[in-house]
């Protein structure tokens, strides 16, 4: 029997470390016991820290539970046919008909065999009515980013070295094995907080023996650790030991991601401006070699990237800082995700414009500032949008407001109407009817009456104006020279009458 099973904790009190996490789990249990449904629990932590053990201890509080391990196939159909049906049905045993659902290593869902697994889990979380616990090793895995917001996240930390040594001593006493304390401490340090690994190593060197010594450690090889990203960043910024720093950068992560995490947290740890300057110089050189590796496909440049962003940044400080620094994840990728829609719009517009201008997309993007100026006017913006075949959403690349529609003038409308009505009028002229003849005759008669009336009114007005003018002139002449005024008045009146007659003739000469 494996000692990890033989000496596994029987109750929550027997679990080593993570007291705060255990308290949160107990409160979650109490809420379900009182009929208050809670979110799904997501236990995240390195391997061997007791996540699965805690889930099994919680399962003891329920009479029924269902578990899917990483070794099982976890496709959409399998998950929905097993856990999906179980989450929708009621248990026949105790706890108000509730059952516990356990999913181990959720971040390990990948490949064709697990296709659609995350989608099925999201559906179960949304529609299920039973308590559920999931476990994952990597908090920053892309596969579980959509689950974190829907679950109650509990971080399970590594077990402290002293706690591991104390447990190994108890196991040796129960198994009747004499030990040297430095041997057990070496096993605990090599495990790097992995309690399960430390117990397995002890069983390998101590099972069937009465005592263990330092010579027995040669049987066990050094553990090939895969570190956590934040532990690695902390080691780079807190240490000046090159060997330790290189070992800490052994991560299952892209070097660009590691570089971004270190870059984000340099000012959180370093305080002197000259140290920050040296550290960022090393980061800049590391980024140059990283770019060369991707462009030339010669990934031997990565070793220079790791040395510069690790040892180079670490040696930029004069002394190590003995303070607590709260590290944060890089904001670079979150900004990229937020700006993805803008970048897609830019590329789409550049592709259309590049095809019209016979240039590359890169050259089209370089000319965007000039097009922003050209798109300020509505008329030119309308012409450019038509030429490049840009819709309203794509025009937003250059201006925030929509392009106003072109107004059609009344003259153009009348021209278009006349063109359309021209055909109809030509048809009517070719085939005149009786009604049209009658209407034309009545129109001519009415025009004649109107013209005769206007003649009479104009004649009266002209006579009245001439009389008033003659009276005014006579009065003026009587004041100055009464003899001349009489003679001149007669002459002027004659002339005015002749002019009035001429005017009358000219006004109605169109007949």
């Amino acid at each position: 029997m494996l000692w990890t099973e033989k000496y596994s904790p029987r109750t929550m009190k027997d679990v080593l470390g993570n007291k705060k996490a255990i308290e949160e789990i107990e409160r979650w249990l109490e809420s379900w016991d009182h009929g208050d449904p809670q979110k799904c629990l997501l236990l995240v932590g390195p391997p061997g820290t007791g996540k699965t053990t805690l889930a099994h201890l919680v399962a003891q509080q329920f009479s029924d539970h269902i578990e899917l391990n990483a070794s099982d196939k976890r496709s959409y159909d399998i998950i929905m046919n097993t856990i999906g049906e179980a989450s929708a049905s009621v248990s026949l045993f105790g706890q108000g008909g509730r059952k516990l659902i356990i999913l181990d290593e959720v971040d390990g869902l990948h490949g064709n065999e697990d296709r659609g697994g995350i989608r099925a889990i999201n559906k179960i979380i949304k529609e299920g009515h039973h308590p559920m616990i999931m476990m994952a090793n990597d908090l920053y895995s892309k596969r579980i980013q959509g689950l974190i917001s829907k679950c109650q996240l509990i971080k399970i930390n590594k077990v402290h070295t002293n706690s591991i040594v104390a447990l190994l001593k108890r196991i040796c006493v129960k198994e009747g094995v004499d030990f040297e304390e430095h041997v057990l401490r070496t096993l605990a340090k090599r495990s790097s907080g992995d309690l399960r690994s430390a117990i397995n190593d002890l069983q390998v060197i101590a099972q069937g023996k009465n005592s263990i010594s330092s010579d027995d450690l040669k049987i066990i090889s050094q553990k090939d650790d895969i570190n956590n990203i934040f532990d690695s960043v902390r080691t780079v910024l807190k240490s000046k030991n090159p060997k330790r720093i290189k070992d800490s950068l052994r991560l299952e992560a892209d070097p660009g991601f590691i570089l971004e995490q270190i870059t984000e947290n340099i000012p959180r740890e370093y305080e002197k401006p000259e140290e920050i300057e040296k550290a960022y110089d090393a980061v800049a050189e590391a980024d140059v070699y990283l770019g060369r590796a991707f462009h030339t496909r010669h990934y031997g440049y990565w070793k220079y990237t790791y040395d510069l962003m690790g040892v180079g940044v670490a040696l930029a400080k004069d002394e190590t800082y003995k303070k607590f620094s709260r590290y944060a994840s890089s904001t670079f990728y979150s900004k990229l995700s937020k700006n993805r829609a803008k970048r897609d719009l830019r590329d789409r517009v550049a592709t259309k414009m590049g095809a019209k201008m016979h240039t590359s997309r890169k050259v089209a993007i370089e000319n965007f500032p000039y097009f922003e100026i050209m798109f300020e006017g509505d008329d030119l913006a309308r012409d450019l949008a038509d030429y490049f075949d840009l819709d309203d959403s794509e025009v937003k690349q250059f201006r925030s407001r929509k392009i106003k529609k072109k107004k059609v003038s009344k003259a153009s409308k009348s021209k278009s109407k006349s063109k359309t009505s021209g055909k109809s009028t030509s048809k009517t002229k070719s085939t005149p009817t009786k009604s049209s003849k009658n209407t034309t005759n009545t129109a001519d008669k009415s025009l004649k009456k109107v013209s005769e009336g206007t003649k009479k009114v104009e004649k009266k007005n002209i006579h009245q104006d001439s009389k008033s003018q003659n009276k005014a002139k006579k009065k003026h002449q009587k004041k100055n020279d009464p003899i001349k005024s009489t003679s001149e008045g007669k002459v002027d009146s004659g002339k005015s009458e002749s002019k009035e007659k001429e005017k009358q003739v000219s006004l109605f000469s169109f007949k």
Side-chain angles (χ1 to χ4, degrees):
M1 185 179 183
L2 292 175
W3 286 1
T4 51
E5 296 178 3
K6 186 177 180 180
Y7 295 103
S8 63
R10 300 289 180 249
T11 61
M12 290 286 188
K13 295 179 181 179
D14 299 333
V15 179
L16 293 179
N18 294 299
K19 299 300 180 185
K20 290 184 179 179
I22 293 170
E23 290 176 359
E24 289 185 34
I25 294 172
E26 289 177 343
R27 285 196 294 269
W28 181 81
L29 263 174
E30 289 178 1
S31 299
W32 277 104
D33 290 340
H34 290 89
D36 183 14
Q38 298 292 311
K39 286 184 176 181
C40 168
L41 275 187
L42 178 59
L43 308 181
V44 181
T49 51
K51 300 187 296 295
T52 307
T53 302
L54 286 170
H56 289 160
L57 291 175
V58 172
Q60 292 177 5
Q61 307 299 320
F62 295 86
S63 57
D64 191 10
H65 76 277
I66 299 172
E67 182 177 0
L68 269 182
N69 296 317
S71 57
D72 301 328
K73 291 181 180 180
R74 297 176 293 177
S75 64
Y76 179 85
D77 293 334
I78 292 173
I79 291 176
M80 292 305 298
N81 291 334
T82 56
I83 296 177
E85 292 180 359
S87 64
S89 60
V90 178
S91 176
L92 299 176
F93 310 98
Q95 288 290 338
R98 300 194 185 277
K99 65 184 78 173
L100 181 66
I101 299 169
I102 300 174
L103 271 174
D104 198 358
E105 294 190 24
V106 181
D107 55 337
L109 290 169
H110 65 280
N112 292 328
E113 294 180 351
D114 295 341
R115 188 182 298 277
I118 295 294
R119 183 162 54 93
I121 293 170
N122 277 317
K123 188 174 182 181
I124 292 169
I125 291 173
K126 184 178 179 180
E127 300 176 359
H129 306 288
H130 295 280
M132 186 173 177
I133 297 179
M134 296 186 295
M135 288 83 78
N137 295 328
D138 186 8
L139 177 61
Y140 305 99
S141 174
K142 294 180 181 178
R143 299 184 184 95
I144 65 170
Q145 292 304 311
L147 300 175
I148 292 176
S149 60
K150 302 172 185 176
C151 302
Q152 181 180 343
L153 179 65
I154 297 178
K155 294 182 180 180
I156 307 298
N157 300 317
K158 292 181 178 180
V159 183
H160 196 271
T161 303
N162 293 336
S163 300
I164 296 175
V165 172
L167 179 61
L168 295 180
K169 285 181 181 180
R170 290 198 296 271
I171 293 173
C172 288
V173 170
K174 290 181 179 180
E175 293 293 331
V177 177
D178 295 332
F179 58 89
E180 296 176 5
E181 186 171 349
H182 74 277
V183 175
L184 300 182
R185 189 163 293 276
T186 303
L187 291 175
K189 287 182 178 179
R190 284 186 179 181
S191 67
S192 300
D194 189 344
L195 182 60
R196 181 172 55 206
S197 174
I199 296 172
N200 287 332
D201 290 344
L202 178 62
Q203 184 176 5
V204 168
I205 66 174
Q207 192 171 21
K209 296 182 180 180
N210 295 325
S211 63
I212 55 175
S213 62
S214 56
D215 294 334
D216 296 323
L217 293 174
K218 297 177 182 178
I219 302 173
I220 304 170
S221 60
Q222 182 70 31
K223 185 180 179 183
D224 189 10
D225 276 339
I226 302 298
N227 299 302
N228 186 12
I229 180 65
F230 282 108
D231 292 338
S232 301
V233 172
R234 187 175 290 104
T235 303
V236 170
L237 299 179
K238 290 285 189 183
S239 176
K240 294 188 71 173
N241 186 350
K243 186 179 183 303
R244 187 182 174 192
I245 292 166
K246 287 184 177 181
D247 292 339
S248 67
L249 290 176
R250 301 180 67 179
L251 294 167
E252 288 183 351
D254 186 84
F257 178 71
I258 303 171
L259 183 63
E260 290 296 334
Q261 301 299 329
I262 293 173
T263 304
E264 181 74 23
N265 292 291
I266 285 173
R268 300 176 189 273
E269 180 68 27
Y270 295 175
E271 296 176 354
K272 298 178 182 178
E274 57 272 14
E275 292 179 352
I276 297 174
E277 182 182 359
K278 289 179 183 178
Y280 277 125
D281 286 340
V283 165
E285 290 185 26
D287 188 53
V288 169
Y289 283 105
L290 184 64
R292 286 178 183 172
F294 285 121
H295 282 94
T296 62
R297 304 291 181 183
H298 180 61
Y299 295 100
Y301 287 117
W302 276 8
K303 61 184 179 183
Y304 303 110
T305 301
Y306 279 98
D307 288 342
L308 286 166
M309 71 182 178
V311 180
V313 172
L315 297 181
K317 57 182 176 289
D318 298 329
E319 296 179 356
T320 56
Y321 291 93
K322 296 179 180 179
K323 65 173 185 178
F324 173 75
S325 300
R326 188 180 295 279
Y327 298 149
S329 181
S330 176
T331 58
F332 175 75
Y333 295 101
S334 62
K335 289 179 180 178
L336 278 180
S337 62
K338 290 178 182 178
N339 295 327
R340 180 174 293 177
K342 292 182 180 179
R343 287 184 281 115
D344 291 342
L345 174 63
R346 179 200 65 189
D347 295 340
R348 190 167 63 251
V349 172
T351 302
K352 286 186 176 181
M353 297 179 73
K356 287 285 187 179
M357 297 188 296
H358 304 287
T359 60
S360 64
R361 191 168 66 183
K362 183 179 179 182
V363 174
I365 292 172
E366 290 175 356
N367 291 320
F368 275 8
Y370 304 108
F371 281 104
E372 288 178 2
I373 299 170
M374 296 169 69
F375 269 83
E376 288 178 358
D378 290 336
D379 295 334
L380 183 56
R382 193 182 301 108
D383 295 338
L384 289 172
D386 292 339
Y387 178 74
F388 291 116
D389 194 18
L390 304 178
D391 54 23
D392 292 339
S393 62
E394 292 169 344
V395 170
K396 289 182 180 179
Q397 177 67 37
F398 305 107
R399 52 185 284 166
S400 58
R401 64 188 189 280
K402 288 184 178 181
I403 301 174
K404 293 181 180 179
K405 292 183 179 180
K406 192 174 182 180
K407 293 183 179 179
V408 182
S409 61
K410 293 181 179 179
S412 60
K413 284 183 179 179
S414 61
K415 285 181 181 179
S416 61
K417 286 181 179 179
S418 62
K419 287 180 181 179
T420 54
S421 61
K423 297 178 180 179
S424 61
T425 52
S426 61
K427 290 179 181 179
T428 54
K429 285 180 181 178
S430 60
T431 56
T433 58
K434 294 180 179 180
S435 60
S436 62
K437 289 180 181 179
N438 294 329
T439 53
T440 52
N441 292 329
T442 53
D444 292 336
K445 291 178 181 179
S446 61
L447 285 171
K448 286 180 181 180
K449 289 179 180 180
V450 171
S451 61
E452 289 175 357
T454 52
K455 283 181 184 179
K456 292 179 181 179
V457 172
E458 286 176 353
K459 285 180 180 179
K460 289 180 180 180
N461 292 334
I462 290 167
H463 287 299
Q464 287 177 359
D465 291 337
S466 60
K467 287 180 181 180
S468 61
Q469 287 177 0
N470 291 330
K471 288 180 180 180
K473 285 181 180 179
K474 287 178 180 179
K475 287 180 181 180
H476 183 69
Q477 287 174 354
K478 285 179 180 179
K479 287 180 181 179
N480 296 328
D481 192 359
I483 298 170
K484 290 181 178 179
S485 62
T486 54
S487 61
E488 288 176 359
K490 292 178 180 179
V491 175
D492 292 335
S493 62
K495 290 181 179 179
S496 61
E497 287 177 357
S498 62
K499 286 181 181 180
E500 288 171 1
K501 289 179 180 179
E502 289 176 359
K503 285 181 181 179
Q504 290 176 4
V505 172
S506 63
L507 285 169
F508 301 101
S509 61
F510 65 92
K511 283 206 171 183

